[in-house]
Amino acid sequence: MAFLEDLSEELEKKESKRKKIKKEIEIPLNKKEETQEEPEVKTFTFKKPRFYFDWNKIVNKLLLFSFFVFILSLTFWAISNFLSKEEPKELSFDLIGPTEVNSLEENYYTFLINNFSRVDLQNISLNLILSEGAYFSETEEKERVFDIGELSAGTSTKINFALVFLNEGNKKETVKAIVRYKTKNKPYVFETSKEISVLVKNTPLVIIPSLPISVFALQPFEAKFKVLNNSPEVLNNINLKINPPQEFNLQQTLPLSEMLEWNFSALNPQETKEITLLGYFKSLPVFPFFDIKISFNWRNKNFSLTQQSYKLNVAENPLKIELISFPGGESVNLGSNISYTIKIKNQGKIPLKENVVKVYFDNLFDITSLRFGKNAYFSSFDNSLYYNSRYEPALLEIKPGDEVKLNFSISLFRSYPILADRDKNFIAKVFVEFHTPSIPPEVKTTNLNEYVIKIEDTKKIIGRFEIQSFLVYKDNLIENSGPFPLIRETPTTLNLHFKIKTIGEDFKDFSLTGKLPPFVNFTGKVGGDALASNFNYDNKTGEFSYYLANIPANVGYKEKELDLVFQIVVLVPANLDPRFLELIPGFNYKVTSVFTNTNFTGTTDNINTSEIIYELK
């Protein structure tokens, strides 16, 4: 209860105090209402303001704040400038040199650095990168780095280097320079690049063609091509290959070349080599272009130039002559008899009178086998067959649109002339010449007395491939063991020989496959010309194979024959009679000739126990 009484007294005191304060507030308000006519400013007068401005303190604080902001800004600027990747101004980098050059001609280039800034450059490096056809004079590298070091403010420096260029001509190469450097007041490595394009105006080797403006089909002509070294360097191992149109019949080349490919060991500056082709078009070519590919060696490195093509205008001949053979195709076997038909058709506007046809042969034909009708005669003076108007009245006059046919046949010799200068890749040719004094007006000829057309038929002679197999017991190539003759249930080793002969051309992709009977196995030993790496045998199935990538021509004739030797082991079971066993079945072989691309297939002879050779001497 005492607590409640104390609390009540306290509340009464606070209420009394509140009423006193309220009364003090209401008295001024009442006075205001009574004196409304007095000026309002006289109602509020203070002897002392509640607050006032201390200008000295305010100015000091503002100065202190401004100084703090200045220091902060300066610090921020210094840090930003230090971390900024902006390159120093007033720096210049220039790549100076010729923009048009000749092939393999040495040219000098300069990379210039001007430091007009206020900072020193440190760790300066220059990286030069060349395109495929650009080369440093003293090295084969495509990229070089120069360590320049330091460059003070307000100074310059330069790097000189020599370059040579090589491409197909009228093509641009590029030289790229990359500069990297640092400054003392920044932690970064700055990088800038310059690039220059250089036009290579010419090619180091120039082909200079000399072709007729136009020719007729069947009309012989010369095509000449000169190779000029247009560079200041000696070029080595020049290889030139000409691909004529398919319809072009080549008769002769200077220098001689069967595959229309020539090699020159070296060409000095401004030196030339000339190649001449003599031939004719058998018919109008679909693509009358002579394509030339050329390569060479420079700095022990091979370069190939872009293929160049030269077009020849070919027109239909007013006189059409064909030489048709049977059997057809481009390859025949030696000893073959070939029948020929000559077709002559006048496609011009004037009649052809008093015409003569001459036929002659190369030395692979047997002249004694020549057969022809009563409309021709043979001359032993030049071993040629002649048709004229006395023997063949149709040749007296061939009117426009008329056609004449002439027939004969001849055989090839049966032996290969491998002892001559040419010992492989033989070609047999028949030549036909048509002569007429009637010159068609559209034909331009240097011979004013007669118009002559020459054609020929070419046959590649197919080579020959031979393989022989046999078994030997006593052989100095691989030593054998076991009883001989063979007896039951006792192993005996023997040597299996495959002797190979070739003639007339090289061969490729030779394979020999077969399967041995269950009682015969290969031991894995090889001898003679056999290579263990080319030999495969599955002991579980008895399957065997052997492969040779290349076999040269004339082995067994001009060269030693190939002798492939494999050792086998024979274990005759008790239920079989060893006297009447087939030990080696026929093995299948196949091979392809290189020159005529002829496939040879066959089977080797099987070998019985009775055919084993006891000793090979």
Side-chain angles (χ1 to χ4, degrees):
M1 293 299 289
F3 170 75
L4 293 175
E5 291 177 355
D6 294 339
L7 180 60
S8 178
E9 292 177 359
E10 186 67 28
L11 291 174
E12 288 178 356
K13 289 179 180 180
K14 288 185 176 183
E15 181 64 23
S16 176
K17 186 177 181 180
R18 184 182 67 81
K19 290 180 177 180
K20 183 179 179 181
I21 294 172
K22 182 178 179 183
K23 185 177 181 182
E24 292 176 353
I25 294 173
E26 288 177 351
I27 292 172
L29 292 175
N30 294 331
K31 289 183 178 180
K32 180 179 179 181
E33 292 174 359
E34 294 175 356
T35 58
Q36 288 181 356
E37 296 179 0
E38 296 180 4
E40 186 175 356
V41 293
K42 294 182 180 181
T43 306
F44 297 97
T45 56
F46 301 96
K47 296 181 178 179
K48 183 178 181 181
R50 297 182 180 179
F51 61 90
Y52 65 95
F53 292 100
D54 190 344
W55 295 107
N56 290 332
K57 289 183 178 181
I58 292 175
V59 170
N60 291 336
K61 288 181 179 180
L62 287 175
L63 289 175
L64 182 62
F65 178 74
S66 300
F67 179 74
F68 174 76
V69 171
F70 172 76
I71 295 299
L72 186 63
S73 301
L74 185 63
T75 304
F76 179 76
W77 176 85
I79 294 173
S80 300
N81 185 63
F82 181 73
L83 297 178
S84 173
K85 293 185 178 181
E86 183 180 358
E87 296 186 26
K89 297 180 179 180
E90 297 179 339
L91 287 177
S92 68
F93 304 94
D94 292 299
L95 183 57
I96 305 168
T99 56
E100 291 187 2
V101 298
N102 294 318
S103 288
L104 298 182
E105 192 173 71
E106 191 173 59
N107 295 273
Y108 289 91
Y109 290 80
T110 298
F111 191 82
L112 181 63
I113 304 176
N114 293 315
N115 182 10
F116 298 134
S117 69
R118 298 181 180 181
V119 296
D120 296 338
L121 306 184
Q122 298 176 329
N123 301 332
I124 306 171
S125 66
L126 172 64
N127 189 13
L128 295 175
I129 302 173
L130 307 181
S131 62
E132 184 180 357
Y135 302 87
F136 293 104
S137 292
E138 64 278 7
T139 177
E140 295 183 9
E141 297 176 351
K142 285 293 182 182
E143 186 172 344
R144 289 188 66 185
V145 177
F146 296 88
D147 187 8
I148 301 174
E150 297 184 357
L151 184 62
S152 301
T155 61
S156 302
T157 188
K158 62 182 178 180
I159 297 294
N160 298 316
F161 54 95
L163 299 177
V164 291
F165 297 87
L166 173 62
N167 60 31
E168 296 83 1
N170 199 30
K171 181 180 176 182
K172 289 186 176 182
E173 302 293 341
T174 59
V175 181
K176 186 175 183 180
I178 301 175
V179 181
R180 297 180 179 91
Y181 62 91
K182 294 179 67 176
T183 60
K184 291 182 178 181
N185 56 352
K186 292 188 180 183
Y188 299 109
V189 175
F190 296 99
E191 180 179 304
T192 188
S193 63
K194 292 287 183 178
E195 187 173 299
I196 187 173
S197 294
V198 181
L199 176 65
V200 184
K201 294 186 293 185
N202 56 13
T203 177
L205 289 173
V206 178
I207 304 297
I208 306 173
S210 178
L211 300 172
I213 297 175
S214 63
V215 297
F216 284 99
L218 303 178
Q219 181 182 4
F221 67 93
E222 279 188 350
K224 294 184 178 182
F225 301 94
K226 286 184 178 180
V227 185
L228 168 66
N229 181 359
N230 197 37
S231 75
E233 299 275 342
V234 176
L235 303 180
N236 301 309
N237 299 329
I238 294 93
N239 176 271
L240 186 143
K241 184 174 179 59
I242 300 177
N243 292 317
Q246 291 183 351
E247 298 83 358
F248 180 72
N249 188 78
L250 179 68
Q251 295 176 307
Q252 187 180 0
T253 66
L254 291 174
L256 296 176
S257 173
E258 295 179 4
M259 308 304 293
L260 293 182
E261 188 169 358
W262 293 265
N263 290 283
F264 305 106
S265 59
L267 267 181
N268 295 317
Q270 300 307 310
E271 183 182 3
T272 61
K273 296 288 185 181
E274 185 175 79
I275 294 169
T276 301
L277 307 183
L278 177 62
Y280 63 90
F281 287 100
K282 294 179 285 187
S283 59
L284 287 180
V286 179
F287 298 102
F289 293 93
F290 287 83
D291 298 328
I292 298 181
K293 294 181 179 179
I294 191 166
S295 62
F296 60 95
N297 184 280
W298 178 66
R299 287 188 176 180
N300 297 320
K301 196 173 182 181
N302 291 322
F303 295 89
S304 296
L305 301 181
T306 301
Q307 175 178 290
Q308 301 179 55
S309 299
Y310 301 92
K311 184 178 180 180
L312 186 62
N313 294 319
V314 184
E316 187 71 66
N317 199 304
L319 181 61
K320 183 179 181 180
I321 300 181
E322 296 178 85
L323 181 57
I324 303 169
S325 65
F326 181 83
E330 62 176 12
S331 302
V332 294
N333 291 300
L334 273 186
S336 299
N337 182 269
I338 307 173
S339 298
Y340 288 95
T341 298
I342 304 173
K343 285 185 177 181
I344 306 168
K345 185 175 182 178
N346 184 359
Q347 301 180 135
K349 299 177 181 179
I350 65 171
L352 306 175
K353 299 181 179 181
E354 300 178 4
N355 308 293
V356 176
V357 176
K358 176 184 177 181
V359 182
Y360 52 101
F361 314 88
D362 69 6
N363 56 9
L364 288 179
F365 286 96
D366 182 4
I367 295 297
T368 61
S369 68
L370 179 63
R371 299 291 182 266
F372 52 91
K374 295 181 180 181
N375 59 347
Y377 71 93
F378 179 76
S379 173
S380 60
F381 292 104
D382 55 5
N383 286 335
S384 298
L385 179 66
Y386 286 90
Y387 297 85
N388 59 25
S389 58
R390 292 290 301 274
Y391 287 86
E392 177 53 73
L395 293 176
L396 181 62
E397 182 179 16
I398 305 176
K399 296 179 181 179
D402 286 355
E403 183 177 87
V404 177
K405 293 183 179 180
L406 309 172
N407 301 302
F408 64 93
S409 67
I410 192 170
S411 296
L412 292 161
F413 283 113
R414 296 184 177 276
S415 60
Y416 294 88
I418 60 174
L419 298 179
D421 293 337
R422 176 195 287 267
D423 62 358
K424 66 178 181 179
N425 301 344
F426 301 108
I427 297 176
K429 290 185 178 183
V430 176
F431 305 91
V432 175
E433 292 182 7
F434 178 86
H435 298 253
T436 179
S438 306
I439 303 175
E442 56 266 61
V443 174
K444 296 179 181 179
T445 176
T446 56
N447 189 340
L448 301 179
N449 297 321
E450 64 176 358
Y451 180 45
V452 180
I453 291 180
K454 299 179 181 181
I455 63 172
E456 64 184 52
D457 180 76
T458 300
K459 300 289 185 185
K460 293 181 179 180
I461 305 303
I462 300 172
R464 191 164 63 233
F465 181 88
E466 304 171 19
I467 184 169
Q468 179 189 12
S469 60
F470 54 89
L471 280 172
V472 178
Y473 177 66
K474 292 189 70 175
D475 195 339
N476 59 1
L477 293 177
I478 304 175
E479 185 177 353
N480 294 307
S481 62
F484 186 85
L486 305 181
I487 62 175
R488 293 182 176 92
E489 297 185 310
T490 303
T492 297
T493 56
L494 303 169
N495 290 344
L496 173 60
H497 288 251
F498 294 98
K499 288 203 171 184
I500 295 175
K501 295 181 179 181
T502 63
I503 191 169
E505 56 181 318
D506 299 324
F507 290 82
K508 64 180 181 179
D509 299 330
F510 167 76
S511 65
L512 182 67
T513 58
K515 186 176 182 179
L516 295 177
F519 49 85
V520 180
N521 282 290
F522 284 106
T523 66
K525 292 183 179 180
V526 299
D529 299 305
L531 299 174
S533 58
N534 296 350
F535 169 77
N536 287 293
Y537 176 63
D538 189 339
N539 188 50
K540 295 179 181 179
T541 63
E543 293 180 348
F544 156 85
S545 66
Y546 188 82
Y547 175 81
L548 273 177
N550 299 291
I551 302 176
N554 304 326
V555 295
Y557 293 93
K558 291 186 71 174
E559 306 293 338
K560 175 184 172 297
E561 63 189 355
L562 286 182
D563 189 7
L564 309 178
V565 183
F566 309 91
Q567 189 184 56
I568 63 171
V569 58
V570 182
L571 183 61
V572 181
N575 61 318
L576 296 178
D577 188 344
R579 296 174 298 171
F580 306 106
L581 284 180
E582 183 183 85
L583 299 179
I584 303 297
F587 282 12
N588 298 320
Y589 70 86
K590 61 181 179 179
V591 69
T592 302
S593 64
V594 175
F595 180 58
T596 62
N597 198 34
T598 304
N599 293 320
F600 292 77
T601 59
T603 305
T604 62
D605 295 332
N606 56 351
I607 306 172
N608 299 321
T609 52
S610 60
E611 298 173 311
I612 299 174
I613 301 171
Y614 174 71
E615 184 176 4
L616 189 64
K617 297 181 180 180

